[in-house]
Amino acid sequence: MKSPLIAVTAALLMLGATSAANAKGCIKGAVVGGVAGHYAGHHGVLGAAAGCLYGRHHAKEQDKQQQQQSQVNGQGKL
């Protein structure tokens, strides 16, 4: 039981240490995922990891949409 928990914790620490710039959306997702995982069978750490990954993905998608909108708006003006 403790081995998977230690492995997940180590993986999260390595992901967090590699680049702090990719943390946008991670904290909010980790909090929500951790709470949901805790109530869904005491899997708070696993839920936090999944929430962090989803939060990062969602933040990247929003950034892409904002960049596309700014490019469209920039091309329409002369």
Side-chain angles (χ1 to χ4, degrees):
M1 177 73 174
K2 287 189 179 187
S3 295
L5 184 63
I6 292 171
V8 169
T9 304
L12 285 175
L13 289 174
M14 288 190 302
L15 284 174
T18 56
S19 64
N22 289 335
K24 186 176 182 179
C26 181
I27 301 298
K28 185 177 179 181
V31 170
V32 172
V35 171
H38 172 72
Y39 285 110
H42 299 289
H43 297 292
V45 176
L46 187 59
C52 177
L53 291 174
Y54 176 75
R56 286 178 54 193
H57 171 72
H58 187 66
K60 285 182 182 180
E61 290 295 320
Q62 284 184 338
D63 285 343
K64 283 182 185 179
Q65 287 179 353
Q66 288 176 355
Q67 287 177 355
Q68 288 175 353
Q69 287 177 354
S70 66
Q71 288 176 354
V72 168
N73 291 340
Q75 291 175 355
K77 294 180 180 178
L78 292 177

